Amino acid sequence: MKFIVFEGIDGSGLSTQSQLLKEYLTKRTAKILLTKEPTDGLIGMLIRSTLRKRIKFDDTTLALLFAADRTDHLANIKFNNYDYVISDRYYISNFAYQSQTIDLNFLIEINKFARKPDLVIFLDVKPETCIERITHNRDHIELYENIEKLRATKENYLKIMDYLRKNFDLNVVFVDGNRSIEEVRKDIVGAMENQRV
Ligand code: ADP
């Protein structure tokens, strides 16, 4: 069983490419699970409501909810039944977004029981490109704010992945996600072949 995780900022193509990788892998095996975080479970629903600004938790509580959603997610996946489990986002998302307000060591600590991925595929996309993909007809100020947030998150992603590679031997491949869906897909398939995952 191989556990593959897609990571990247909003609009980088995570759901598109995780679905395409699943389709590619069905040539090898039918035993594939494509899943995502936050989950559709009860704790995931609380998180989604927070992200949509319908309810509010303080940052520490939200961090604990993310970690609890993850342990619940992992407890519900029968890893032995699959050859590949692909997750659209995992703990690195959490670290990259939340360490802007919460201590990274605390976030790592509360996720220490989470299963380590065999491969992390980071879709490296310019924040401007992501904004173009996800927003339409927004006013200038909002666009600017979003770009700033995406830039900060991307920078954080890069720092954190560097740290996790060095200290936790995390296996990360970077894919240039600025190109067409098909070009990106081919690179991901190539990375899978190279890694023998
Ligand atoms: P994420 O899950 O990372 O937020 P999505 O896969 O939902 O991103 O993609 C966001 C939008 O951008 C979708 O409308 C999708 O069709 C489009 N998109 C994804 N990848 C590309 C690409 N390489 N080039 C152009 N548009 C893309």
Coordinates of all heavy atoms in Angstrom, one line a residue, residues 94-180:
N94 N -2.3 21.9 6.7 CA -2.5 22.4 8.1 C -1.4 23.2 8.6 O -1.5 24.3 9.2 CB -2.7 21.2 8.9 CG -3.7 21.3 9.9 OD1 -3.8 20.4 10.8 ND2 -4.5 22.4 9.9
F95 N -0.1 22.7 8.4 CA 1.0 23.4 8.9 C 1.2 24.7 8.2 O 1.5 25.7 8.8 CB 2.3 22.5 8.7 CG 2.3 21.2 9.5 CD1 3.2 20.2 9.2 CD2 1.4 20.9 10.5 CE1 3.2 19.0 9.8 CE2 1.4 19.7 11.2 CZ 2.3 18.8 10.8
A96 N 1.1 24.7 6.8 CA 1.3 25.9 6.0 C 0.3 27.0 6.3 O 0.7 28.1 6.4 CB 1.3 25.5 4.6
Y97 N -0.9 26.6 6.5 CA -1.9 27.7 6.7 C -1.9 28.1 8.2 O -1.9 29.3 8.4 CB -3.3 27.2 6.3 CG -3.6 27.1 4.8 CD1 -3.2 26.0 4.1 CD2 -4.2 28.2 4.2 CE1 -3.4 26.0 2.7 CE2 -4.4 28.1 2.8 CZ -4.0 27.0 2.1 OH -4.2 27.0 0.7
Q98 N -1.8 27.1 9.1 CA -2.0 27.5 10.5 C -0.8 28.0 11.2 O -0.9 28.7 12.2 CB -2.6 26.3 11.2 CG -4.1 26.2 10.9 CD -4.9 25.9 12.1 OE1 -4.9 24.7 12.5 NE2 -5.6 26.8 12.6
S99 N 0.4 27.7 10.7 CA 1.6 28.1 11.4 C 1.8 29.6 11.2 O 2.7 30.2 11.8 CB 2.8 27.4 11.0 OG 3.2 27.7 9.7
Q100 N 0.9 30.3 10.4 CA 0.9 31.7 10.3 C 0.5 32.4 11.6 O 0.8 33.5 11.9 CB 0.1 32.2 9.1 CG 0.7 31.7 7.8 CD -0.1 32.0 6.6 OE1 -0.7 33.1 6.4 NE2 -0.2 31.0 5.7
T101 N -0.3 31.6 12.4 CA -0.8 32.1 13.7 C -0.5 31.2 14.9 O -0.7 31.7 16.0 CB -2.3 32.4 13.6 OG1 -3.0 31.2 13.2 CG2 -2.7 33.5 12.7
I102 N -0.1 30.0 14.6 CA 0.1 29.0 15.7 C 1.5 28.4 15.6 O 2.0 28.3 14.5 CB -0.9 27.8 15.6 CG1 -2.3 28.4 15.7 CG2 -0.6 26.7 16.5 CD1 -3.0 28.1 17.0
D103 N 2.1 28.1 16.7 CA 3.5 27.6 16.7 C 3.6 26.3 16.0 O 2.8 25.3 16.2 CB 3.9 27.4 18.2 CG 5.2 26.7 18.4 OD1 6.1 27.0 17.5 OD2 5.4 25.9 19.3
L104 N 4.5 26.2 15.0 CA 4.6 25.0 14.2 C 4.9 23.7 15.0 O 4.4 22.7 14.7 CB 5.7 25.2 13.1 CG 6.0 24.0 12.2 CD1 4.8 23.6 11.4 CD2 7.2 24.3 11.3
N105 N 5.7 23.9 16.0 CA 6.0 22.7 16.8 C 4.8 22.1 17.5 O 4.7 20.9 17.7 CB 7.1 23.0 17.9 CG 8.4 23.2 17.2 OD1 8.8 22.6 16.3 ND2 9.2 24.2 17.7
F106 N 3.9 23.0 17.9 CA 2.6 22.5 18.5 C 1.8 21.8 17.4 O 1.3 20.7 17.7 CB 1.8 23.7 19.0 CG 0.4 23.4 19.4 CD1 0.2 22.6 20.6 CD2 -0.7 23.8 18.7 CE1 -1.1 22.3 21.0 CE2 -2.0 23.5 19.1 CZ -2.2 22.8 20.2
L107 N 1.8 22.3 16.2 CA 1.0 21.6 15.2 C 1.6 20.3 14.8 O 0.9 19.3 14.6 CB 1.0 22.5 13.9 CG 0.3 23.9 14.0 CD1 0.5 24.7 12.8 CD2 -1.2 23.7 14.3
I108 N 3.0 20.2 14.8 CA 3.6 18.9 14.5 C 3.3 17.9 15.7 O 3.0 16.8 15.4 CB 5.1 19.1 14.3 CG1 5.4 19.9 13.0 CG2 5.9 17.8 14.3 CD1 6.8 20.3 12.7
E109 N 3.4 18.4 16.9 CA 3.2 17.6 18.1 C 1.8 16.9 18.0 O 1.6 15.7 18.2 CB 3.3 18.4 19.3 CG 3.2 17.7 20.6 CD 4.3 16.7 20.9 OE1 5.4 16.8 20.3 OE2 4.0 15.7 21.7
I110 N 0.7 17.7 17.7 CA -0.6 17.2 17.8 C -0.9 16.3 16.6 O -2.0 15.7 16.5 CB -1.7 18.3 18.0 CG1 -1.7 19.3 16.8 CG2 -1.6 19.0 19.3 CD1 -2.8 20.3 16.9
N111 N 0.0 16.3 15.6 CA -0.2 15.4 14.4 C 0.8 14.2 14.4 O 1.0 13.6 13.4 CB 0.0 16.2 13.2 CG -1.3 17.0 12.8 OD1 -2.2 16.4 12.3 ND2 -1.3 18.3 13.2
K112 N 1.5 14.0 15.6 CA 2.6 13.0 15.5 C 2.1 11.6 15.3 O 2.9 10.8 15.0 CB 3.5 13.2 16.8 CG 2.9 12.7 18.1 CD 4.0 12.9 19.1 CE 3.5 12.5 20.5 NZ 4.3 12.9 21.6
F113 N 0.9 11.3 15.6 CA 0.4 9.9 15.3 C -0.1 9.7 13.9 O -0.6 8.7 13.6 CB -0.7 9.6 16.4 CG -0.2 9.6 17.8 CD1 -0.7 10.4 18.7 CD2 0.9 8.7 18.1 CE1 -0.2 10.5 20.0 CE2 1.4 8.8 19.4 CZ 0.9 9.6 20.4
A114 N -0.2 10.8 13.1 CA -0.7 10.7 11.8 C 0.3 9.9 10.9 O 1.5 10.2 10.9 CB -1.0 12.1 11.2
R115 N -0.3 9.0 10.1 CA 0.5 8.2 9.2 C 1.4 9.0 8.3 O 0.9 10.0 7.7 CB -0.4 7.3 8.4 CG 0.2 6.3 7.6 CD -0.8 5.6 6.8 NE -0.3 4.4 6.1 CZ -0.5 3.2 6.5 NH1 -1.3 2.9 7.4 NH2 0.1 2.2 5.8
K116 N 2.6 8.7 8.1 CA 3.5 9.4 7.2 C 3.2 9.1 5.8 O 3.2 7.9 5.4 CB 5.0 9.1 7.6 CG 6.0 9.9 6.9 CD 7.4 9.6 7.5 CE 8.5 10.0 6.5 NZ 9.8 9.4 7.0
P117 N 3.1 10.0 4.9 CA 2.9 9.7 3.5 C 4.1 9.1 2.8 O 5.2 9.4 3.2 CB 2.6 11.1 2.8 CG 2.5 12.1 3.9 CD 3.1 11.5 5.1
D118 N 3.9 8.2 1.9 CA 5.0 7.6 1.1 C 5.5 8.6 0.1 O 6.7 8.7 -0.2 CB 4.6 6.3 0.4 CG 4.2 5.3 1.4 OD1 5.1 4.7 2.0 OD2 3.0 5.0 1.5
L119 N 4.6 9.5 -0.4 CA 5.0 10.5 -1.4 C 4.1 11.7 -1.2 O 2.9 11.5 -1.1 CB 4.9 9.9 -2.8 CG 5.2 10.9 -3.9 CD1 6.7 11.3 -3.9 CD2 4.9 10.3 -5.3
V120 N 4.7 12.9 -1.2 CA 3.9 14.1 -1.2 C 4.2 14.8 -2.6 O 5.3 15.0 -3.0 CB 4.4 15.1 -0.1 CG1 3.6 16.4 -0.2 CG2 4.2 14.5 1.3
I121 N 3.1 15.1 -3.3 CA 3.2 15.8 -4.6 C 2.8 17.2 -4.4 O 1.7 17.5 -4.1 CB 2.4 15.1 -5.7 CG1 2.8 13.6 -5.9 CG2 2.4 15.9 -7.0 CD1 1.8 12.8 -6.7
F122 N 3.8 18.1 -4.5 CA 3.5 19.5 -4.3 C 3.3 20.2 -5.6 O 4.2 20.2 -6.4 CB 4.6 20.2 -3.5 CG 4.3 21.7 -3.2 CD1 3.4 22.1 -2.3 CD2 5.0 22.7 -4.0 CE1 3.1 23.4 -2.1 CE2 4.7 24.0 -3.7 CZ 3.8 24.4 -2.8
L123 N 2.1 20.7 -5.8 CA 1.8 21.4 -7.1 C 2.3 22.9 -6.9 O 1.6 23.6 -6.1 CB 0.3 21.3 -7.4 CG -0.2 19.9 -7.7 CD1 -1.7 20.0 -8.1 CD2 0.6 19.2 -8.8
D124 N 3.3 23.2 -7.6 CA 4.0 24.5 -7.4 C 3.4 25.5 -8.5 O 3.6 25.3 -9.7 CB 5.5 24.3 -7.7 CG 6.2 25.5 -7.2 OD1 5.6 26.6 -7.0 OD2 7.5 25.4 -7.0
V125 N 2.5 26.4 -8.0 CA 1.8 27.3 -9.0 C 1.9 28.7 -8.4 O 1.8 28.9 -7.2 CB 0.3 26.9 -9.1 CG1 -0.4 27.8 -10.1 CG2 0.2 25.4 -9.5
K126 N 2.1 29.6 -9.4 CA 2.2 31.1 -9.0 C 0.8 31.5 -8.3 O -0.2 31.2 -8.9 CB 2.4 31.9 -10.2 CG 3.8 31.9 -10.7 CD 4.0 33.0 -11.7 CE 4.9 32.6 -12.9 NZ 4.2 32.6 -14.2
P127 N 0.9 32.2 -7.2 CA -0.3 32.7 -6.6 C -1.2 33.4 -7.6 O -2.5 33.3 -7.5 CB 0.2 33.6 -5.5 CG 1.5 33.0 -5.1 CD 2.1 32.5 -6.4
E128 N -0.6 34.2 -8.5 CA -1.5 35.0 -9.4 C -2.3 34.1 -10.3 O -3.4 34.3 -10.6 CB -0.6 35.9 -10.3 CG 0.2 37.0 -9.6 CD 1.4 36.6 -8.9 OE1 1.7 35.4 -8.9 OE2 2.0 37.4 -8.2
T129 N -1.6 33.0 -10.7 CA -2.3 32.0 -11.6 C -3.5 31.3 -10.8 O -4.6 31.1 -11.3 CB -1.3 30.9 -12.0 OG1 -0.2 31.6 -12.6 CG2 -1.9 30.0 -13.0
C130 N -3.2 31.0 -9.5 CA -4.3 30.4 -8.7 C -5.4 31.3 -8.6 O -6.6 30.9 -8.7 CB -3.7 30.1 -7.3 SG -2.5 28.8 -7.3
I131 N -5.2 32.6 -8.3 CA -6.2 33.6 -8.2 C -7.1 33.7 -9.5 O -8.3 33.6 -9.5 CB -5.7 35.0 -7.9 CG1 -5.1 35.0 -6.5 CG2 -6.7 36.1 -8.1 CD1 -6.1 35.1 -5.4
E132 N -6.4 33.7 -10.6 CA -7.1 33.7 -11.9 C -8.0 32.5 -12.1 O -9.1 32.6 -12.6 CB -6.1 33.7 -13.1 CG -5.6 35.1 -13.5 CD -4.4 35.0 -14.4 OE1 -4.3 34.0 -15.2 OE2 -3.5 35.9 -14.3
R133 N -7.5 31.4 -11.6 CA -8.3 30.1 -11.7 C -9.5 30.1 -10.8 O -10.6 29.6 -11.2 CB -7.5 28.9 -11.4 CG -6.4 28.6 -12.5 CD -5.6 27.4 -12.1 NE -4.5 27.1 -12.9 CZ -3.5 26.2 -12.7 NH1 -3.6 25.5 -11.6 NH2 -2.5 26.1 -13.5
I134 N -9.4 30.7 -9.6 CA -10.5 30.5 -8.7 C -11.4 31.7 -8.5 O -12.5 31.6 -7.9 CB -10.0 30.1 -7.3 CG1 -9.0 31.1 -6.7 CG2 -9.4 28.7 -7.3 CD1 -8.4 30.7 -5.4
T135 N -11.0 32.9 -9.0 CA -11.9 34.1 -8.8 C -12.4 34.7 -10.1 O -11.7 34.7 -11.1 CB -11.2 35.2 -8.0 OG1 -10.1 35.6 -8.7 CG2 -10.8 34.7 -6.6
H136 N -13.6 35.2 -10.0 CA -14.1 35.9 -11.1 C -14.8 37.2 -10.6 O -15.5 37.1 -9.6 CB -15.2 35.1 -11.9 CG -14.6 33.8 -12.4 ND1 -13.9 33.7 -13.5 CD2 -14.7 32.5 -11.9 CE1 -13.5 32.4 -13.6 NE2 -14.0 31.7 -12.7
N137 N -14.6 38.3 -11.3 CA -15.3 39.5 -11.0 C -15.2 40.0 -9.6 O -16.1 40.6 -9.0 CB -16.8 39.4 -11.4 CG -17.0 38.9 -12.8 OD1 -16.3 39.3 -13.7 ND2 -18.0 38.0 -12.9
R138 N -14.0 39.7 -9.0 CA -13.9 40.3 -7.6 C -13.3 41.7 -7.7 O -12.6 42.0 -8.6 CB -12.9 39.4 -6.8 CG -13.4 38.0 -6.6 CD -14.3 37.9 -5.4 NE -14.8 36.6 -5.3 CZ -14.3 35.6 -4.5 NH1 -13.3 35.9 -3.8 NH2 -14.8 34.4 -4.5
D139 N -13.6 42.5 -6.7 CA -13.0 43.8 -6.7 C -11.5 43.8 -6.4 O -11.0 42.8 -5.8 CB -13.8 44.8 -5.9 CG -13.6 44.6 -4.4 OD1 -12.4 44.5 -3.9 OD2 -14.6 44.4 -3.7
H140 N -10.8 44.9 -6.7 CA -9.4 44.9 -6.6 C -8.8 44.6 -5.2 O -7.8 43.9 -5.1 CB -8.9 46.2 -7.2 CG -7.4 46.3 -7.3 ND1 -6.7 45.6 -8.3 CD2 -6.4 46.9 -6.5 CE1 -5.4 45.8 -8.2 NE2 -5.2 46.6 -7.1
I141 N -9.4 45.2 -4.2 CA -8.9 45.1 -2.9 C -8.9 43.6 -2.4 O -8.0 43.1 -1.9 CB -9.6 46.0 -1.9 CG1 -9.3 47.4 -2.2 CG2 -9.2 45.7 -0.4 CD1 -10.2 48.4 -1.6
E142 N -10.1 43.0 -2.7 CA -10.2 41.6 -2.3 C -9.2 40.7 -3.0 O -8.6 39.8 -2.4 CB -11.7 41.1 -2.6 CG -12.0 39.8 -1.9 CD -13.4 39.5 -2.1 OE1 -14.2 40.3 -2.6 OE2 -13.8 38.4 -1.7
L143 N -9.0 41.0 -4.3 CA -8.1 40.2 -5.0 C -6.7 40.4 -4.5 O -5.9 39.4 -4.3 CB -8.1 40.8 -6.5 CG -7.5 39.9 -7.6 CD1 -8.4 38.7 -7.7 CD2 -7.5 40.6 -8.9
Y144 N -6.3 41.6 -4.1 CA -5.0 41.9 -3.6 C -4.8 41.1 -2.2 O -3.8 40.5 -2.0 CB -4.9 43.4 -3.3 CG -3.6 43.8 -2.6 CD1 -2.4 43.8 -3.3 CD2 -3.6 44.1 -1.3 CE1 -1.2 44.1 -2.7 CE2 -2.4 44.5 -0.7 CZ -1.2 44.5 -1.3 OH -0.1 44.8 -0.7
E145 N -5.9 41.2 -1.4 CA -5.8 40.5 -0.1 C -5.6 39.0 -0.3 O -4.8 38.3 0.3 CB -7.1 40.7 0.7 CG -7.1 42.0 1.4 CD -8.4 42.3 2.1 OE1 -9.3 41.4 2.0 OE2 -8.5 43.3 2.7
N146 N -6.3 38.4 -1.3 CA -6.2 37.0 -1.6 C -4.8 36.6 -2.1 O -4.2 35.6 -1.6 CB -7.2 36.6 -2.6 CG -8.6 36.5 -2.0 OD1 -8.7 36.4 -0.7 ND2 -9.6 36.6 -2.8
I147 N -4.3 37.5 -2.9 CA -2.9 37.2 -3.4 C -1.9 37.2 -2.3 O -1.1 36.4 -2.2 CB -2.5 38.2 -4.6 CG1 -3.2 37.8 -5.9 CG2 -1.0 38.2 -4.8 CD1 -3.0 38.7 -7.0
E148 N -2.0 38.2 -1.4 CA -1.1 38.3 -0.3 C -1.2 37.1 0.5 O -0.1 36.5 1.0 CB -1.4 39.6 0.5 CG -1.1 40.9 -0.1 CD 0.4 41.0 -0.5 OE1 1.2 40.9 0.5 OE2 0.7 41.0 -1.7
K149 N -2.4 36.6 0.8 CA -2.6 35.4 1.6 C -2.0 34.2 1.0 O -1.3 33.4 1.6 CB -4.1 35.2 1.9 CG -4.5 34.0 2.7 CD -4.9 34.4 4.1 CE -5.3 33.2 5.0 NZ -4.1 32.7 5.7
L150 N -2.2 34.1 -0.3 CA -1.7 32.9 -1.1 C -0.2 32.9 -1.1 O 0.5 31.9 -1.0 CB -2.3 32.8 -2.5 CG -3.7 32.4 -2.6 CD1 -4.1 32.2 -4.1 CD2 -4.0 31.1 -1.9
R151 N 0.4 34.2 -1.3 CA 1.9 34.3 -1.3 C 2.5 33.9 0.0 O 3.4 33.1 0.0 CB 2.3 35.7 -1.6 CG 2.2 36.1 -3.0 CD 2.9 37.4 -3.3 NE 2.7 37.8 -4.7 CZ 2.2 39.0 -5.0 NH1 1.9 39.9 -4.1 NH2 2.0 39.2 -6.3
A152 N 1.9 34.3 1.1 CA 2.4 34.0 2.4 C 2.3 32.5 2.7 O 3.2 31.9 3.2 CB 1.6 34.8 3.5
T153 N 1.2 31.9 2.2 CA 0.9 30.5 2.4 C 1.9 29.7 1.6 O 2.5 28.7 2.1 CB -0.5 30.1 2.1 OG1 -1.4 30.9 2.9 CG2 -0.8 28.6 2.4
K154 N 2.2 30.1 0.4 CA 3.1 29.4 -0.5 C 4.5 29.4 0.1 O 5.2 28.4 0.2 CB 3.1 29.9 -1.9 CG 4.0 29.1 -2.8 CD 4.0 29.5 -4.2 CE 5.0 28.7 -4.9 NZ 5.2 29.1 -6.3
E155 N 4.9 30.6 0.6 CA 6.2 30.7 1.2 C 6.4 29.8 2.4 O 7.4 29.1 2.6 CB 6.4 32.1 1.7 CG 7.5 32.9 0.9 CD 7.5 34.4 1.3 OE1 7.8 34.6 2.5 OE2 7.2 35.2 0.5
N156 N 5.3 29.7 3.2 CA 5.3 28.9 4.4 C 5.4 27.4 4.0 O 6.1 26.6 4.6 CB 3.9 29.1 5.1 CG 4.2 29.5 6.5 OD1 5.3 29.8 6.9 ND2 3.1 29.6 7.2
Y157 N 4.6 27.0 2.9 CA 4.7 25.7 2.4 C 6.2 25.3 2.1 O 6.6 24.2 2.5 CB 3.9 25.6 1.1 CG 2.6 24.8 1.2 CD1 1.4 25.5 0.9 CD2 2.6 23.5 1.5 CE1 0.2 24.8 0.9 CE2 1.3 22.8 1.5 CZ 0.2 23.5 1.2 OH -1.0 22.8 1.3
L158 N 6.8 26.2 1.4 CA 8.2 25.8 1.0 C 9.1 25.7 2.2 O 9.9 24.7 2.2 CB 8.7 26.9 0.0 CG 7.9 27.0 -1.3 CD1 8.5 28.2 -2.2 CD2 7.9 25.7 -2.1
K159 N 9.0 26.6 3.2 CA 9.8 26.5 4.4 C 9.6 25.2 5.1 O 10.5 24.5 5.6 CB 9.5 27.7 5.3 CG 10.4 28.9 5.1 CD 10.3 29.9 6.2 CE 9.1 30.8 5.9 NZ 8.7 31.7 6.9
I160 N 8.3 24.9 5.3 CA 7.9 23.8 6.1 C 8.3 22.5 5.4 O 8.8 21.5 6.1 CB 6.4 23.8 6.4 CG1 6.2 25.0 7.4 CG2 5.8 22.5 6.9 CD1 4.8 25.4 7.6
M161 N 8.1 22.4 4.1 CA 8.5 21.1 3.4 C 10.0 20.9 3.5 O 10.4 19.8 3.7 CB 8.0 21.2 2.0 CG 6.5 20.9 1.9 SD 5.9 20.7 0.3 CE 6.3 22.3 -0.4
D162 N 10.8 22.0 3.4 CA 12.2 21.9 3.6 C 12.5 21.3 5.0 O 13.3 20.4 5.1 CB 12.8 23.3 3.4 CG 14.3 23.2 3.3 OD1 14.8 22.4 2.5 OD2 15.0 24.0 3.9
Y163 N 11.9 21.9 6.0 CA 12.1 21.4 7.4 C 11.7 19.9 7.5 O 12.4 19.1 8.1 CB 11.2 22.3 8.3 CG 11.3 21.9 9.7 CD1 12.4 22.3 10.5 CD2 10.3 21.2 10.3 CE1 12.5 21.9 11.9 CE2 10.3 20.9 11.7 CZ 11.4 21.2 12.4 OH 11.5 20.9 13.8
L164 N 10.5 19.6 7.0 CA 10.0 18.2 7.1 C 10.9 17.2 6.4 O 11.1 16.0 6.8 CB 8.6 18.1 6.7 CG 7.6 18.9 7.5 CD1 6.2 18.8 6.9 CD2 7.5 18.4 9.0
R165 N 11.4 17.6 5.2 CA 12.3 16.7 4.5 C 13.6 16.5 5.3 O 14.1 15.3 5.4 CB 12.7 17.4 3.1 CG 11.6 17.4 2.1 CD 11.9 18.3 1.0 NE 12.5 17.7 -0.1 CZ 13.0 18.3 -1.2 NH1 12.9 19.6 -1.3 NH2 13.5 17.6 -2.2
K166 N 14.1 17.5 5.9 CA 15.4 17.4 6.6 C 15.2 16.7 7.9 O 16.1 15.9 8.3 CB 16.0 18.8 6.9 CG 16.6 19.4 5.6 CD 17.2 20.8 5.9 CE 17.8 21.3 4.6 NZ 17.6 22.8 4.5
N167 N 14.2 17.0 8.6 CA 14.0 16.5 10.0 C 13.2 15.2 10.1 O 13.3 14.4 11.1 CB 13.4 17.5 10.9 CG 14.4 18.7 11.1 OD1 15.4 18.6 11.9 ND2 14.2 19.7 10.4
F168 N 12.3 15.0 9.2 CA 11.4 13.8 9.2 C 11.5 12.9 8.0 O 10.7 12.0 7.8 CB 9.9 14.3 9.5 CG 9.7 14.9 10.8 CD1 9.8 16.3 10.9 CD2 9.4 14.2 11.9 CE1 9.6 16.9 12.2 CE2 9.2 14.8 13.1 CZ 9.3 16.2 13.3
D169 N 12.5 13.3 7.1 CA 12.7 12.5 6.0 C 11.5 12.3 5.1 O 11.2 11.3 4.5 CB 13.2 11.1 6.4 CG 14.0 10.4 5.3 OD1 14.5 11.1 4.4 OD2 14.0 9.1 5.3
L170 N 10.7 13.4 5.0 CA 9.5 13.4 4.2 C 9.9 13.4 2.7 O 10.8 14.1 2.3 CB 8.7 14.6 4.5 CG 7.2 14.6 4.0 CD1 6.4 13.7 4.8 CD2 6.6 16.0 4.0
N171 N 9.2 12.5 1.9 CA 9.5 12.4 0.5 C 8.6 13.3 -0.3 O 7.4 13.0 -0.4 CB 9.2 10.9 0.2 CG 9.6 10.6 -1.2 OD1 10.4 11.3 -1.9 ND2 9.1 9.4 -1.7
V172 N 9.2 14.4 -0.8 CA 8.4 15.4 -1.5 C 8.8 15.5 -3.0 O 10.1 15.6 -3.2 CB 8.5 16.8 -0.9 CG1 7.5 17.8 -1.6 CG2 8.2 16.7 0.6
V173 N 7.9 15.5 -3.9 CA 8.3 15.9 -5.3 C 7.6 17.2 -5.6 O 6.4 17.4 -5.3 CB 8.0 14.9 -6.4 CG1 8.9 13.6 -6.2 CG2 6.6 14.5 -6.4
F174 N 8.3 18.1 -6.3 CA 7.7 19.4 -6.7 C 7.4 19.3 -8.2 O 8.2 18.9 -9.0 CB 8.7 20.5 -6.6 CG 9.0 20.8 -5.1 CD1 10.0 20.1 -4.4 CD2 8.4 21.8 -4.5 CE1 10.2 20.3 -3.1 CE2 8.6 22.1 -3.1 CZ 9.6 21.3 -2.4
V175 N 6.1 19.6 -8.5 CA 5.7 19.6 -9.9 C 5.3 21.0 -10.3 O 4.6 21.7 -9.6 CB 4.5 18.6 -10.1 CG1 3.9 18.7 -11.4 CG2 4.9 17.2 -9.7
D176 N 5.8 21.4 -11.5 CA 5.5 22.8 -12.0 C 4.0 22.7 -12.4 O 3.7 22.2 -13.5 CB 6.4 23.2 -13.1 CG 6.1 24.5 -13.7 OD1 5.1 25.1 -13.3 OD2 6.8 24.9 -14.7
G177 N 3.1 23.3 -11.6 CA 1.7 23.2 -11.9 C 1.1 24.4 -12.7 O -0.1 24.5 -12.8
N178 N 2.1 25.2 -13.2 CA 1.6 26.4 -13.9 C 1.1 26.1 -15.4 O 0.6 27.0 -16.0 CB 2.7 27.5 -14.0 CG 3.1 28.0 -12.6 OD1 2.4 28.7 -12.0 ND2 4.3 27.6 -12.2
R179 N 1.4 24.9 -15.8 CA 1.2 24.6 -17.3 C -0.2 24.0 -17.4 O -1.0 23.9 -16.5 CB 2.3 23.7 -17.8 CG 3.6 24.4 -17.8 CD 4.8 23.4 -17.7 NE 4.6 22.5 -16.5 CZ 4.9 21.3 -16.5 NH1 5.5 20.7 -17.6 NH2 4.7 20.5 -15.4
S180 N -0.5 23.4 -18.6 CA -1.8 22.9 -18.9 C -2.1 21.7 -18.0 O -1.1 21.0 -17.5 CB -2.0 22.5 -20.4 OG -1.2 21.3 -20.6

